[in-house]
Amino acid sequence: MESAKNGAQVLIEILEQLGVEYIFGYSGGAALPLFDALYHSSIKLILTRHEQGATHMADGYARVTGKPGVVLVTSGPGATNTITGMMTAQMDSVPMIVLTGQTITSLLGLDAFQEADIFGMTMSVVKHNYLIKNTADISRITREAFHIATSGRPGPVLIDLPKDVTSAPFNGSLTDQIDLPAFQLPARPNPESIQSLADLINQSHKPILLVGHGALLSGAAPEVRALAELIQAPVTNTLLGKGGFPETHPLSLGMLGMYGTVYANKALLECDLILSIGCRWDDRINGNPKKFCPQAKKLHIDIDPAEIGKIVVPDAYAIGDAKQVLQELLPLVHPLDTEKWLERVQELKRLYPLQYRPFNGNIPEGSASLRAQHVIDVLYQLTNGNAIITTDVGQHQMWAAQYFKTDQPDTWLSSGGAGTMGFGFPAAIGAQLARPDQQVIAIVGDGGFQMTLCELSTAALHKLPLKILVIDNKYLGMVRQWQEFFLDGRYSGTDLEGNPDFCMLAQAYGVKAFRITKEEELEQTLAEALAYQSGPCLIHAEVVKEDNVFPMIPAGQSIHEMITESPTVPLQMPEGST
Amino acid sequence: METQHTFSLIYARKPGILIRVALVLERRGYTIESMNTSPYDSNPDFWEMMLTTEGDPAKLEQVTRQLAKLIDVFAVQVLREVYC
């Protein structure tokens, strides 16, 4: 049937049908028909200042809503600029649709202007991708892309759209359904595998629950809590598992792993069973998989069969959606006698509390007079923890994870697997658009913020009341910390001396700015910034240059090698990953 | 020690499938020695790929699961494992 609409108009119409509210994008020649089709659409276009920013905004939007974030960019460099954002989403299982313009089909492979083989280039950073060569396929492929991005373990899907395909009249069927004969959704969890989890849990005296991002993605927080309270097991969480179980709950051990709490990591050494709920045992968690909790039975719940046995060979496992598995597991387990175990865990908490020392006026000679941990701690107190937090990667991220406790699901947005600098601020823009009534705070480092700070324009334009807390130590702090410990203090390529005055920078974009340099200013200035609602505001916190994140387990080492204070002699460079 | 493995993949013949399969193998150190594709007799929706590879047997299960995870792959079977 001949349609009056062209391919681009049909595509946008399908996006409207699929409930897309926002498109984060940046225009260009090959994407002209798509942007033209958006002109009269109900979908709101958020014009960013860089394509990477668009992907992280879509990511932030997706992490708080569970709906795929949609990105629209042009061909060539516009498309390649989205690669970091897709890889970030892929590593953290975030649903995302990336639409890229492309040169016309007759020029494909001829090195045309702004031609990039984005289909070939992105295969290893997406869940799936497409290059549409026929306008008639637009309806089917768009529906397939959404289905793939959101089902099972979520992830990004890219659709490359040549300009002649989007401008040609659409002569296909708008109601074309998906055609994915080989794609299989996760089956119902096998009841026998759930019984095998229950059998081991029922024999345990010292269990620990390990909550990962999968628990949040499946909305399993209520079931995690029900299980923990039923069997009286302490609960630890990964960086991305923050919010899967309230970190202020008496059974919570907070975050485990490389920069996790001492008590979570020590409890792992003593437990007799560890049940991972949607955590993939990555190298930040296990240190060295050969030495990871040899004494404990390891149980694994994951929706992705490829995660079972990838790092840790489990004693029992169930493949399926975490919420569904837990719902079926709950009637099969009974309350355990863990009284002594919980006493021991409490003792560990007393012996090795998570703490930092504020200066309280005793400022070392020549030092800045503010510690980053103190800033984050006060922010936590002032907000009562009631905020959506986004971060970049590095020291500030770990301090935020440690001192800004997360109680609610989908309020902690951080680039975990990819460790993407520049993620936090644009992700906060996406989160604030999705949750206009909630307090959204980007806690970023001076390094990461400078990678995507051009989005100050975007935030200012839409008057988004988000807060940007720049923890400025004028270093790539985490890398510097490693150089201090393992490379005799040779600070090669980590000194960011010459940073701009972030307050003046914000003001240049019309963004309100606050500066904190002293402990005495901390509470009042943060309170003022939090009260500011007329648009975005930036808080520039100038903190101690050389400060370290503790505790720390050097990469590739076991929990026994945990460092809790600055070493006095140089340590050997760890062999594990970075 | 490297081992020779023969895989049978039942797959939907969609764009990019050869590259996707090759990427999974290459990333995990498996080299492709031979590859043969043909229509799959039992179901017209699918094709069959016979792949002979050489790689670390310790990674065989992970490689198999990652191949099976590809959107256009329906099933993966390891037909033969030969130590070389």
Side-chain angles (χ1 to χ4, degrees):
Chain A
M1 189 185 69
E2 190 74 19
S3 158
K5 293 186 169 172
N6 68 18
Q9 289 164 328
V10 164
L11 180 94
I12 299 300
E13 189 178 319
I14 293 166
L15 297 183
E16 288 168 356
Q17 284 174 16
L18 291 168
V20 174
E21 289 176 282
Y22 289 104
I23 287 183
F24 303 92
Y26 203 93
S27 67
L32 274 170
L34 290 158
F35 278 86
D36 192 50
L38 259 182
Y39 196 72
H40 291 297
S41 167
S42 61
I43 299 173
K44 293 182 267 302
L45 170 68
I46 303 297
L47 175 64
T48 65
R49 292 300 179 266
H50 190 286
E51 291 87 351
Q52 182 182 350
T55 59
H56 297 326
M57 288 177 207
D59 187 314
Y61 175 87
R63 287 186 204 225
V64 295
T65 60
K67 300 199 295 189
V70 181
V71 175
L72 170 59
V73 299
T74 191
S75 64
T80 56
N81 278 342
T82 65
I83 290 181
T84 302
M86 281 188 279
M87 177 261 201
T88 305
Q90 170 78 343
M91 288 288 266
D92 290 347
S93 313
V94 177
M96 183 185 289
I97 303 290
V98 177
L99 308 166
T100 53
Q102 179 58 277
T103 190
I104 55 176
T105 45
S106 59
L107 289 185
L108 288 176
L110 301 182
D111 306 318
F113 175 64
Q114 291 193 332
E115 178 189 1
D117 175 14
I118 199 69
F119 175 69
M121 236 181 262
T122 56
M123 277 184 184
S124 41
V125 295
V126 293
K127 187 170 175 189
H128 199 59
N129 62 6
Y130 293 92
L131 164 59
I132 303 190
K133 290 185 176 167
N134 295 305
T135 308
D137 292 336
I138 285 181
S139 170
R140 171 181 59 81
I141 287 179
T142 308
R143 292 177 202 282
E144 286 179 7
F146 273 75
H147 179 62
I148 292 167
T150 53
S151 57
R153 181 177 180 173
V157 178
L158 175 138
I159 308 177
D160 199 18
L161 293 149
K163 187 162 147 270
D164 54 326
V165 169
T166 50
S167 26
F170 178 76
N171 51 11
S173 160
L174 270 172
T175 53
D176 259 355
Q177 293 307 302
I178 59 173
D179 174 29
L180 294 166
F183 183 53
Q184 296 147 86
L185 291 178
R188 242 183 80 84
N190 174 346
E192 281 168 32
S193 67
I194 297 178
Q195 186 64 53
S196 69
L197 297 179
D199 291 344
L200 288 173
I201 292 170
N202 286 333
Q203 291 164 31
S204 169
H205 302 288
K206 296 192 280 183
I208 285 186
L209 305 187
L210 165 56
V211 179
H213 197 202
L216 290 154
L217 289 167
S218 81
E223 287 77 12
V224 170
R225 185 169 181 159
L227 179 64
E229 290 176 350
L230 174 67
I231 65 170
Q232 285 296 300
V235 182
T236 184
N237 52 263
T238 65
L239 177 71
L240 292 193
K242 273 171 77 74
F245 183 78
E247 287 188 302
T248 55
H249 192 288
L251 286 170
S252 175
L253 297 170
M255 184 174 74
L256 82 164
M258 186 177 273
Y259 301 101
T261 62
V262 178
Y263 41 89
N265 286 325
K266 284 200 182 279
L268 283 176
L269 287 176
E270 298 178 23
C271 70
D272 66 7
L273 177 141
I274 174 163
L275 169 62
S276 159
I277 305 167
C279 146
R280 59 189 170 86
W281 314 98
D282 92 322
D283 52 82
R284 306 285 97 166
I285 301 305
N286 71 59
N288 180 341
K290 293 198 179 81
K291 296 182 191 167
F292 181 68
C293 303
Q295 80 293 346
K297 294 279 185 214
K298 293 170 199 79
L299 279 50
H300 193 177
I301 299 170
D302 208 297
I303 200 164
D304 180 358
E307 290 300 337
I308 306 295
K310 186 180 85 175
I311 307 286
V312 162
V313 179
D315 297 279
Y317 65 88
I319 297 170
D321 177 72
K323 189 181 186 77
Q324 201 180 355
V325 172
L326 291 179
Q327 279 172 348
E328 292 179 27
L329 177 65
L330 275 162
L332 305 178
V333 293
H334 53 68
L336 304 177
D337 178 15
T338 58
E339 202 181 319
K340 278 192 185 140
W341 173 229
L342 292 180
E343 274 172 25
R344 171 62 182 153
V345 168
Q346 287 308 321
E347 187 186 13
L348 289 170
K349 281 190 177 182
R350 275 196 308 276
L351 287 171
Y352 309 102
L354 180 67
Q355 61 184 3
Y356 66 93
R357 285 191 204 94
F359 289 127
N360 293 328
N362 301 315
I363 297 142
E365 181 86 18
S367 164
S369 58
L370 196 60
R371 297 191 74 184
Q373 302 93 314
H374 196 179
V375 179
I376 292 164
D377 191 13
V378 171
L379 181 71
Y380 176 68
Q381 308 298 338
L382 289 175
T383 56
N384 293 316
N386 188 14
I388 294 174
I389 300 292
T390 71
T391 79
D392 276 354
V393 64
Q395 285 186 322
H396 73 278
Q397 177 193 36
M398 291 298 119
W399 285 320
Q402 292 173 337
Y403 294 104
F404 203 105
K405 301 206 184 314
T406 310
D407 282 350
Q408 297 296 326
D410 308 326
T411 59
W412 170 262
L413 283 53
S414 190
S415 168
T420 302
M421 290 175 69
F423 171 82
F425 170 44
I429 293 177
Q432 186 75 79
L433 286 164
R435 296 281 180 266
D437 300 328
Q438 271 177 267
Q439 178 85 264
V440 177
I441 306 170
I443 303 179
V444 295
D446 48 313
F449 181 56
Q450 291 186 74
M451 291 190 173
T452 49
L453 65 74
C454 54
E455 305 305 342
L456 281 168
S457 285
T458 317
L461 195 64
H462 296 280
K463 298 191 168 56
L464 300 175
L466 57 87
K467 316 286 175 271
I468 309 150
L469 172 60
V470 183
I471 302 288
D472 179 14
N473 61 1
K474 299 174 179 61
Y475 263 126
L476 298 178
M478 188 61 91
V479 187
R480 187 212 56 76
Q481 175 172 339
W482 282 51
Q483 289 170 331
E484 177 188 332
F485 291 179
F486 307 119
L487 294 164
D488 236 351
R490 293 187 297 279
Y491 296 155
S492 178
T494 45
D495 194 340
L496 293 189
E497 205 55 64
N499 272 344
D501 178 326
F502 288 105
C503 290
M504 284 176 69
L505 186 82
Q507 285 155 4
Y509 283 93
V511 169
K512 177 89 174 160
F514 299 86
R515 191 189 313 274
I516 310 174
T517 56
K518 299 188 194 80
E519 284 178 338
E520 305 88 90
E521 305 164 339
L522 188 51
E523 241 182 89
Q524 200 192 331
T525 311
L526 276 181
E528 269 177 53
L530 288 169
Y532 182 79
Q533 290 295 321
S534 313
C537 77
L538 180 145
I539 307 137
H540 182 189
E542 292 186 56
V543 300
V544 180
K545 270 185 78 96
E546 299 187 16
D547 206 341
N548 295 316
V549 181
F550 295 115
M552 170 187 179
I553 304 171
Q557 297 186 5
S558 75
I559 295 162
H560 297 283
E561 273 98 6
M562 187 157 39
I563 305 171
T564 52
E565 57 186 32
S566 285
T568 50
V569 291
L571 302 175
Q572 204 183 346
M573 186 69 175
E575 286 174 10
S577 89
T578 51
Chain B
M1 202 208 312
E2 302 266 287
T3 313
Q4 197 184 67
H5 307 103
T6 304
F7 297 92
S8 153
L9 266 70
I10 311 300
Y11 67 99
R13 204 174 175 220
K14 299 281 179 91
I17 184 68
L18 290 185
I19 315 173
R20 296 183 213 275
V21 168
L23 282 169
V24 168
L25 294 167
E26 182 63 37
R27 188 74 187 150
R28 292 157 186 86
Y30 275 50
T31 51
I32 299 172
E33 299 194 332
S34 73
M35 181 188 269
N36 180 40
T37 64
S38 56
Y40 185 53
D41 296 338
S42 330
N43 185 333
D45 280 345
F46 296 130
W47 279 53
E48 181 171 20
M49 187 187 302
M50 299 292 280
L51 270 170
T52 305
T53 67
E54 205 172 286
D56 179 357
K59 294 181 181 165
L60 180 61
E61 188 182 334
Q62 182 58 205
V63 166
T64 310
R65 287 176 187 261
Q66 292 294 344
L67 289 171
K69 191 169 152 178
L70 293 173
I71 303 295
D72 293 325
V73 170
F74 180 70
V76 183
Q77 214 184 341
V78 182
L79 298 181
R80 214 155 60 100
E81 192 168 344
V82 180
Y83 293 90
C84 44

